[in-house]
Amino acid sequence: MATPHNITEFFLLGLSQNPQIQRVLLVVFLIIYVVTVCGNTLVLVTVTSSPTLASPMYFFLANLSFIDTCYSSSLAPKLIADSLYEGRTISYKGCMVQLFGAHFLGGVEIILLTVMAYDRYVAICRPLHYTIIMTRRLCTMLVGVTWLGGFLHSLVQLLLVLHLTFCGPNVINHFVCDLYPLLELACTNTYVIGLLVVANSGVICLLNFLILAASYMVILHSLRAHSAEGRRKALSTCGAHFTVVALFFVPCIFTYMRPSSTLSIDKSMAVFYGILTPMLNPLIYTLRNEEVKSAMKKLFAYVPVKSQMDQHRCQSHLIGKDALNKWILQFYGSGGLGGRQGKSTSRNGKVLSQSREKCLPDSLIKHFFLEFLITYITQMENKRNVTEFILIGLTQNPRMQKVVLVFLLIYMVTLLGNLLIVVTITTSRALNAPMYFFLTHLSLIDISYSSSSAPKLIVDSLHEKKILSFNGCMAQVYAEHLFGAAEIILLTVMAYDRYVAICKPLHYTAIMSHRLCVVLLGVAWAGGFLHATIQILLTVWLPFCGPKVIDHFMCDLYPLLKLVCMDTHTLGLFVAANSGFISLLNFLLLMVSYVVILRSLRTYSLEGRRKALSTCTSHIAVVILFFVPCTFVYLRPVTTLPTDKAVAIFYTMITPMLNPLIYTLRNAEVKNAVKKLYQKVTSVEK
């Protein structure tokens, strides 16, 4: 049972109360946050797309970049938004969520940095056994341990704070909700809790830092037996890691390794380890690591036409479609490829291109299209001998497969929660605004989206052999992308609805008419249909010659492309363009719309800002939960990672389950309508 208190929101004093300084802080922290997200995303894409960066060190670096992006996102957006206006309020629940998120991701990063130090120790001190010790299974397990450790650490912190009584005042002298500023507001004796906070946060920071320091002393001692070049290379990678460790651990130890008290310098320390360090990490690792810099240069300076491959293709490609032959001849002859006309001969209805210059187009887009078309038609003539696929699933451990009850429970909660939203809105006269019209269809899409993968996962957990027919696989791919894309576009439409409601309130009913709402909903479904149709057309005719084992719990594009018996590089670029860039583009549109919304809130009253932020925060939470995993999975070249299964579970099952909870817990109108519906049902039964 929660401890009673009369505080429903807190006021954050922020970094400064000077309006001129706030404007400067807005620009500075917005730039820092954009650099943080772009830099860490670049490291993530570089590591996942480069075959040369396949060692465990870069696997951990990719996870560190992902954590840094999330960690910075738990603090920076709120700080940037608060710089736009004077009344910086945060609800009690929002404060607890921010506290949990910051300590969860911070705890994960602390443990992950220790794991990375262990990786460097094995690589330098036991190089001959490195590949045997640091297996993919162990690396995945270590990453799982970091996330579990961060979760347990944050859970303990949250439980300590939830039982505190806040009777007033409610002004936090900070720009975030953190432990020590909150302990100062509690109207109980917090001495014991302060010691527990030191034990849970400070001692963990200090202990991990001492372990790291000890490991580097051992590494430095062992380097005496290495050559000068070996010492230089080892010190280069270790120097980058130790720099990151010092930047992150020292401020954390200073903040939490002391009794419960707040200092004026605490805000600067929080800015350093919460905002600046995540920005510096990708710079440190790229500037001091030649392999990462080389991989980035290849990523930016990628030349899709290699001379030997071009010469071979220009001299040997035979295409057996007369209509296509005619089109290619016309395309070459018109100068569309930007090359000189070369000799082409027709032999038995097949075209043989003999001019190497024709394979060097001026237009990269035209080249990609022609390259894909030639390879595609040629390979499609091969006979497919795969009629079914075998899914490995989440795990092959029979004991672990018994967690089917967990997924069954998640699926039932998803169905019941979203159905409750649909029934509540359709039966309540108070919920007739366009926002609730879109929310109803979001719940319907969530039900359909979760149903495209969850039932199959649950059923497969009961069987040792998980088989899916080729047609069933294609149907699952189509359904996933149909409902996923429809949800992406619908979330963007809902952001537009919030923009009109907040920025143009007097014209809201005139603009957001029922007809426009229906049209926008139709656009969402049409967009999802076109997206899924393109994906299925790219996939359904691919030649699968074997093997037929999919390392996933469902049929998805990248695991399928790994089984294709042809070069899928160009096809992977089309998939990234159709899925990844759509997710990223809509996400950027959403972020821009909310920046405009937050800017317009400066002219509102305190109560108006609170109500507007309440509805917008729910929508932003849903957007982040859905878009970030989708962008992570699809905005990269064709490759599969061990984390893809967990990420897929998150956006196909967890997010559809959380959506109704987020919208009901943060929306008083929906909660009141649910209560009335419950009272109506119980009265009818009586």
Side-chain angles (χ1 to χ4, degrees):
M1 184 175 178
T3 303
H5 54 79
N6 57 9
I7 298 295
T8 58
E9 62 182 12
F10 296 98
F11 290 86
L12 301 172
L13 292 182
L15 288 173
S16 174
Q17 293 180 290
N18 188 325
Q20 294 181 348
I21 296 179
Q22 287 182 21
R23 294 172 186 172
V24 176
L25 294 176
L26 170 65
V27 176
V28 171
F29 288 117
L30 182 61
I31 294 173
I32 291 174
Y33 182 60
V34 171
V35 172
T36 301
V37 173
C38 294
N40 283 286
T41 303
L42 176 61
V43 171
L44 192 62
V45 172
T46 302
V47 172
T48 54
S49 63
S50 176
T52 60
L53 304 180
S55 65
M57 179 179 74
Y58 299 112
F59 171 72
F60 295 132
L61 177 58
N63 283 274
L64 179 66
S65 296
F66 178 71
I67 292 169
D68 276 332
T69 303
C70 298
Y71 186 43
S72 181
S73 299
S74 68
L75 304 175
K78 176 65 177 172
L79 174 60
I80 295 169
D82 287 344
S83 300
L84 295 172
Y85 48 85
E86 296 180 2
R88 309 176 187 90
T89 61
I90 185 171
S91 66
Y92 175 83
K93 293 179 181 178
C95 182
M96 297 301 107
V97 169
Q98 188 179 59
L99 176 69
F100 181 85
H103 281 270
F104 173 47
L105 296 166
V108 172
E109 183 158 348
I110 285 174
I111 303 172
L112 182 60
L113 288 171
T114 308
V115 168
M116 293 174 73
Y118 173 73
D119 171 72
R120 291 300 83 206
Y121 161 78
V122 176
I124 295 171
C125 299
R126 305 183 68 181
L128 299 178
H129 301 88
Y130 180 70
T131 55
I132 300 174
I133 297 174
M134 297 304 294
T135 60
R136 183 175 179 178
R137 180 180 179 183
L138 178 62
C139 293
T140 306
M141 188 181 301
L142 289 174
V143 171
V145 168
T146 63
W147 285 96
L148 180 61
F151 174 78
L152 292 176
H153 160 73
S154 187
L155 184 63
V156 172
Q157 301 287 64
L158 185 64
L159 292 176
L160 291 174
V161 178
L162 284 176
H163 288 83
L164 292 176
T165 303
F166 297 98
C167 310
N170 61 346
V171 179
I172 298 177
N173 187 19
H174 214 296
F175 65 90
V176 294
C177 278
D178 204 0
L179 289 164
Y180 286 167
L182 283 173
L183 291 180
E184 285 195 340
L185 303 182
C187 49
T188 56
N189 189 350
T190 59
Y191 178 77
V192 177
I193 294 180
L195 294 178
L196 294 175
V197 169
V198 171
N200 191 30
S201 294
V203 174
I204 287 178
C205 291
L206 182 61
L207 181 62
N208 279 273
F209 183 74
L210 293 177
I211 292 173
L212 286 162
S215 69
Y216 276 104
M217 289 179 63
V218 175
I219 289 173
L220 292 173
H221 184 267
S222 68
L223 286 178
R224 295 182 303 171
H226 286 238
S227 63
E229 180 62 21
R231 286 197 295 269
R232 186 195 65 78
K233 188 174 181 180
L235 288 173
S236 177
T237 56
C238 292
H241 183 252
F242 196 77
T243 303
V244 172
V245 166
L247 289 173
F248 190 80
F249 275 80
V250 172
C252 289
I253 293 173
F254 174 81
T255 301
Y256 295 107
M257 196 62 190
R258 67 172 193 253
S260 177
S261 62
T262 57
L263 302 176
S264 58
I265 199 174
D266 284 350
K267 296 181 184 180
S268 301
M269 291 290 103
V271 168
F272 197 86
Y273 65 75
I275 296 177
L276 292 181
T277 303
M279 178 192 71
L280 295 174
N281 284 358
L283 298 177
I284 293 169
Y285 279 106
T286 53
L287 293 177
R288 295 184 60 88
N289 192 302
E290 293 297 329
E291 292 180 344
V292 177
K293 286 193 288 186
S294 177
M296 284 185 177
K297 290 177 182 177
K298 291 179 181 179
L299 183 67
F300 283 108
Y302 174 73
V303 181
V305 184
K306 297 179 183 178
S307 58
Q308 295 179 355
M309 186 180 296
D310 287 340
Q311 188 173 8
H312 172 72
R313 287 178 180 172
C314 289
Q315 292 176 352
S316 63
H317 262 312
L318 300 177
I319 306 173
K321 302 293 182 183
D322 293 337
L324 183 62
N325 294 344
K326 183 178 179 181
W327 180 85
I328 293 176
L329 287 172
Q330 292 175 351
F331 194 66
Y332 273 113
S334 65
L337 290 175
R340 296 191 305 238
Q341 280 192 354
K343 296 180 181 179
S344 297
T345 60
S346 179
R347 203 165 49 196
N348 298 326
K350 298 183 178 181
V351 171
L352 176 61
S353 175
Q354 296 177 344
S355 176
R356 185 173 181 272
E357 286 83 352
K358 295 173 187 177
C359 289
L360 298 175
D362 292 335
S363 171
L364 193 62
I365 297 176
K366 291 179 180 178
H367 169 74
F368 274 160
F369 178 71
L370 184 62
E371 183 78 7
F372 168 70
L373 195 61
I374 291 173
T375 308
Y376 190 76
I377 297 297
T378 304
Q379 295 290 344
M380 289 314 102
E381 294 178 352
N382 297 333
K383 185 178 179 181
R384 183 190 300 116
N385 58 12
V386 172
T387 59
E388 63 182 16
F389 296 100
I390 298 175
L391 302 173
I392 292 181
L394 286 174
T395 179
Q396 293 181 293
N397 188 333
R399 294 182 179 178
M400 291 296 294
Q401 289 183 10
K402 294 179 181 179
V403 297
V404 61
L405 295 176
V406 176
F407 295 113
L408 181 60
L409 179 62
I410 291 174
Y411 183 54
M412 294 303 297
V413 172
T414 301
L415 292 181
L416 295 176
N418 284 286
L419 284 175
L420 178 62
I421 293 289
V422 173
V423 173
T424 301
I425 294 176
T426 54
T427 57
S428 175
R429 296 181 179 179
L431 304 179
N432 57 359
M435 179 179 72
Y436 300 113
F437 172 77
F438 294 130
L439 180 56
T440 302
H441 289 86
L442 179 66
S443 295
L444 290 173
I445 292 174
D446 277 332
I447 292 172
S448 304
Y449 188 45
S450 182
S451 299
S452 66
S453 57
K456 176 65 178 171
L457 173 61
I458 295 168
V459 172
D460 284 345
S461 301
L462 301 174
H463 301 86
E464 184 176 353
K465 197 170 184 181
K466 308 167 182 67
I467 298 176
L468 184 62
S469 67
F470 178 84
N471 292 334
C473 181
M474 296 301 105
Q476 190 177 56
V477 170
Y478 185 82
E480 291 164 7
H481 286 270
L482 169 65
F483 297 121
E487 181 159 351
I488 285 175
I489 301 172
L490 184 60
L491 288 171
T492 309
V493 168
M494 293 174 73
Y496 173 72
D497 171 73
R498 291 299 83 205
Y499 161 76
V500 177
I502 295 172
C503 299
K504 297 185 178 182
L506 299 179
H507 302 89
Y508 180 67
T509 55
I511 296 175
M512 297 304 296
S513 62
H514 183 71
R515 180 180 179 182
L516 179 62
C517 293
V518 173
V519 170
L520 291 174
L521 180 63
V523 168
W525 281 105
F529 172 78
L530 290 175
H531 164 76
T533 301
I534 293 172
Q535 299 290 64
I536 203 67
L537 288 177
L538 293 174
T539 310
V540 72
W541 297 110
L542 289 174
F544 296 95
C545 311
K548 57 180 181 180
V549 179
I550 299 177
D551 188 13
H552 213 293
F553 65 87
M554 64 180 187
C555 275
D556 203 5
L557 290 167
Y558 284 173
L560 282 172
L561 292 181
K562 290 187 68 175
L563 306 181
V564 176
C565 47
M566 62 175 280
D567 183 17
T568 59
H569 176 75
T570 306
L571 183 61
L573 295 178
F574 278 102
V575 171
N578 192 29
S579 294
F581 283 109
I582 287 177
S583 299
L584 182 62
L585 180 62
N586 280 273
F587 184 68
L588 293 177
L589 289 174
L590 287 162
M591 292 299 101
V592 170
S593 69
Y594 275 104
V595 170
V596 175
I597 289 173
L598 291 173
R599 184 176 179 82
S600 68
L601 287 178
R602 294 182 301 174
T603 59
Y604 278 59
S605 64
L606 185 62
E607 179 63 23
R609 286 199 295 267
R610 187 195 63 78
K611 188 174 181 180
L613 287 174
S614 177
T615 57
C616 290
T617 304
S618 300
H619 187 249
I620 291 175
V622 173
V623 165
I624 292 174
L625 289 173
F626 191 76
F627 274 81
V628 172
C630 289
T631 305
F632 170 75
V633 171
Y634 293 109
L635 195 64
R636 67 175 191 243
V638 180
T639 181
T640 56
L641 300 176
T643 55
D644 284 350
K645 295 182 185 180
V647 174
I649 285 288
F650 196 83
Y651 66 77
T652 59
M653 296 186 67
I654 304 298
T655 302
M657 178 191 69
L658 293 176
N659 284 358
L661 298 176
I662 292 171
Y663 279 107
T664 53
L665 293 177
R666 295 189 61 88
N667 192 305
E669 292 180 345
V670 176
K671 286 192 288 186
N672 291 334
V674 171
K675 291 177 182 178
K676 290 180 180 179
L677 179 64
Y678 177 75
Q679 293 172 356
K680 184 177 180 181
V681 172
T682 54
S683 63
V684 170
E685 290 178 354
K686 293 179 180 179

